[in-house]
Amino acid sequence: MSRSKKLFTSESVTEGHPDKMCDQISDAILDQIIAQDPIARVACEALVHTGVVHIAGQISTACYVDIPKITRETIAEIGYTRAKFGFDAQTCGILLSIDEQSPDIAMGVNKSYETKTGNISDEEVETLGAGDQGMMFGYACTETPELMPLPITIAHDLSIMLAAVRKNKDINYLRPDGKTQVTVEYDSENNPVRIENVVISTQHKPEIPLDLIRKDLIRNVIKRIIPDEYLDNKTKIFINPTGRFVRGGPLADTGLTGRKIIVDTYGGMARHGGGCFSGKDPTKVDRSGSYATRYVAKNIVAAGLADRCEVSIAYAIGVSRPVSIGVNTFGTGKFSDLTIVKLIDDIFDLRPGAIIRDMKLRRPIYKQVACYGHFGRPGLDLPWEKLNKVNEIRRELNLPLIDEDEELTLDNDD
């Protein structure tokens, strides 16, 4: 490999990957609970291994949900319906270790620091304190119509197609577990110019030869997803590089909620605060704060203030207002990063209660993003992907407004 090339790699995994199974189980349980009890407190994690699912966490709710039933239905939807696949939704063991939310945490979430000290500007929103301390990062760039980095976008699209050709039996020998990886070459201006290599590893029936798997995946997955202009005769394609992938899923590897946080976000293109999303109700700022920073970053890029933008916020547990807000436009900003920070503080309400209110996050919308990324996702009506602050941003900076039709064209989620 030439050392003059600037390369960046991102990976994705299919819904049958053990870690992603756990994310989907956790968010399926969350969705079922908040559909009945929108103010429930949920922190639910799953662990899967050979024939067993262990579900643990803290749940405070007034409703009842059948957690074992939800778990089995989720595993069956993924495709683990026979022991020969490595897991069977109907016969696996399910262990529960569920408690209520710690009262020490609840006292800060139920009544924020600002409420206790009398510094209340909006009682309904200010009452809710952040569910934890921590820092969250959001990112957007002009590499794709969704304002996402190209490597993670293509990696997710390959994983989605890999699952689709399995489920619709275009390739009838595939099994649920799988991973993809894409390396993109960038020019000196940080524009993507070509794909250096593609990796797909997929579980399959034991009798299928590697040359057939390679031929079918190139034709039915890679060629369907990757535009021809990104592929050339130097692009390397690796299909099941070990030569065999029969033993997969929880039979081959333990799965755990929250171990694919880079897959869930920007594929490593932006920094990450370390907290996962799945299984957490929106009072947990790991989730709602990360959605808010994506929303802010995307609107800033769509408004033309920068070609790349990373927004960071941090919270103290029990305190509603962020303790810090930061911006990095990587030298692409049309205004200073400090100017954009002030603009964010003026336009966006980043208190957890306000984020929950404005995005209507107390709804069962989470299982749909538990696999293939929480950001971008054309076709899903995700509130944190909306571009409804673009003209407010431009108006604040005395920039010409974007007409409604043009703004809707930018928003690929409608």
Side-chain angles (χ1 to χ4, degrees):
M1 182 185 75
S2 169
R3 295 195 180 276
S4 63
K5 291 181 180 179
K6 183 178 180 181
L7 304 176
F8 194 88
T9 302
S10 294
E11 74 157 349
S12 177
V13 299
T14 67
E15 58 213 63
H17 186 282
D19 292 331
K20 271 293 148 207
M21 288 177 63
C22 294
D23 288 343
Q24 291 165 93
I25 291 167
S26 295
D27 274 338
I29 293 168
L30 170 65
D31 275 359
Q32 289 279 348
I33 291 172
I34 63 174
Q36 300 180 55
D37 181 7
I39 62 171
R41 301 284 167 78
V42 181
C44 177
E45 299 182 6
L47 180 148
V48 296
H49 194 40
T50 311
V52 178
V53 183
H54 193 157
I55 296 170
Q58 296 78 43
I59 299 176
S60 297
T61 181
C63 75
Y64 169 79
V65 298
D66 190 337
I67 291 177
K69 181 181 178 183
I70 296 166
T71 301
R72 294 188 193 281
E73 288 175 348
T74 302
I75 295 169
E77 287 172 10
I78 292 168
Y80 285 112
T81 55
R82 302 178 68 183
K84 63 192 281 186
F85 296 167
F87 212 77
D88 186 341
Q90 297 309 312
T91 62
C92 64
I94 298 176
L95 306 175
L96 302 181
S97 300
I98 304 294
D99 216 337
E100 290 187 329
Q101 184 179 64
S102 163
D104 295 343
I105 296 174
M107 66 185 290
V109 180
N110 295 340
K111 195 171 186 181
S112 73
Y113 172 83
E114 289 90 342
T115 302
K116 295 171 187 173
T117 57
N119 183 21
I120 305 172
S121 59
D122 181 340
E123 186 172 359
E124 179 182 7
V125 171
E126 202 80 68
T127 299
L128 186 68
D132 203 350
Q133 69 176 46
M135 58 281 190
M136 298 85 216
F137 294 87
Y139 183 80
C141 63
T142 56
E143 292 179 22
T144 65
E146 302 85 13
L147 305 184
M148 286 287 287
L150 185 65
I152 189 64
T153 298
I154 294 181
H156 281 322
D157 288 346
L158 290 171
S159 289
I160 292 169
M161 183 59 73
L162 186 59
V165 298
R166 169 178 61 88
K167 290 184 171 182
N168 65 26
K169 300 192 183 304
D170 281 354
I171 305 178
N172 61 10
Y173 54 79
L174 297 181
R175 290 178 176 171
D177 200 354
K179 303 177 77 170
T180 66
Q181 185 172 283
V182 175
T183 301
V184 173
E185 180 183 342
Y186 289 80
D187 64 18
S188 59
E189 301 297 320
N190 285 314
N191 299 308
V193 293
R194 58 180 292 276
I195 289 178
E196 176 76 8
N197 55 62
V198 179
V199 184
I200 299 181
S201 297
T202 182
Q203 188 184 10
H204 58 88
K205 291 181 180 179
E207 66 270 19
I208 307 302
L210 180 59
D211 58 348
L212 177 60
I213 298 172
R214 178 180 173 83
K215 176 183 174 184
D216 284 346
L217 290 190
I218 290 175
R219 181 178 66 244
N220 291 293
V221 178
I222 293 175
K223 292 293 188 180
R224 288 186 185 182
I225 293 301
I226 302 179
D228 289 340
E229 60 264 30
Y230 286 126
L231 300 172
D232 57 33
N233 57 11
K234 293 183 179 179
T235 301
K236 303 175 188 67
I237 296 176
F238 301 94
I239 306 293
N240 283 5
T242 68
R244 180 178 170 87
F245 188 176
V246 172
R247 190 181 177 97
L251 182 64
D253 192 11
T254 302
L256 184 66
T257 298
R259 278 206 302 211
K260 287 291 176 283
I261 58 176
I262 300 303
V263 173
D264 284 340
T265 52
Y266 309 100
M269 189 69 78
R271 288 174 289 185
H272 197 296
C276 80
F277 307 151
S278 290
K280 297 178 180 178
D281 76 79
T283 66
K284 278 71 174 176
V285 286
D286 282 335
R287 174 160 236 157
S288 52
S290 296
Y291 291 167
T293 53
R294 162 64 177 171
Y295 174 64
V296 174
K298 187 175 182 184
N299 275 269
I300 286 170
V301 170
L305 273 59
D307 294 332
R308 299 169 62 200
C309 181
E310 181 186 78
V311 175
S312 62
I313 56 176
Y315 292 95
I317 187 167
V319 180
S320 66
R321 295 186 181 279
V323 297
S324 70
I325 302 173
V327 166
N328 187 351
T329 56
F330 307 93
T332 70
K334 312 302 187 292
F335 298 85
S336 73
D337 291 351
L338 289 177
T339 296
I340 298 175
V341 168
K342 183 179 184 307
L343 180 144
I344 292 170
D345 203 27
D346 290 342
I347 291 179
F348 296 91
D349 193 338
L350 296 175
R351 295 172 294 173
I355 296 168
I356 292 169
R357 176 199 64 198
D358 296 342
M359 294 190 186
K360 298 180 174 62
L361 294 182
R362 296 191 190 276
R363 297 179 287 152
I365 59 175
Y366 300 110
K367 184 186 173 188
Q368 64 182 337
V369 291
C371 198
Y372 311 122
H374 291 244
F375 306 122
R377 306 305 301 273
L380 298 183
D381 187 24
L382 303 177
W384 51 89
E385 293 296 312
K386 298 299 182 184
L387 295 177
N388 51 8
K389 292 288 188 179
V390 167
N391 275 335
E392 189 173 348
I393 290 169
R394 293 180 68 85
R395 188 179 296 111
E396 187 79 7
L397 296 170
N398 296 314
L399 298 173
L401 302 186
I402 298 172
D403 67 45
E404 186 176 345
D405 290 338
E406 186 177 353
E407 189 170 342
L408 288 174
T409 300
L410 279 170
D411 191 344
N412 290 284
D413 304 304
D414 289 330

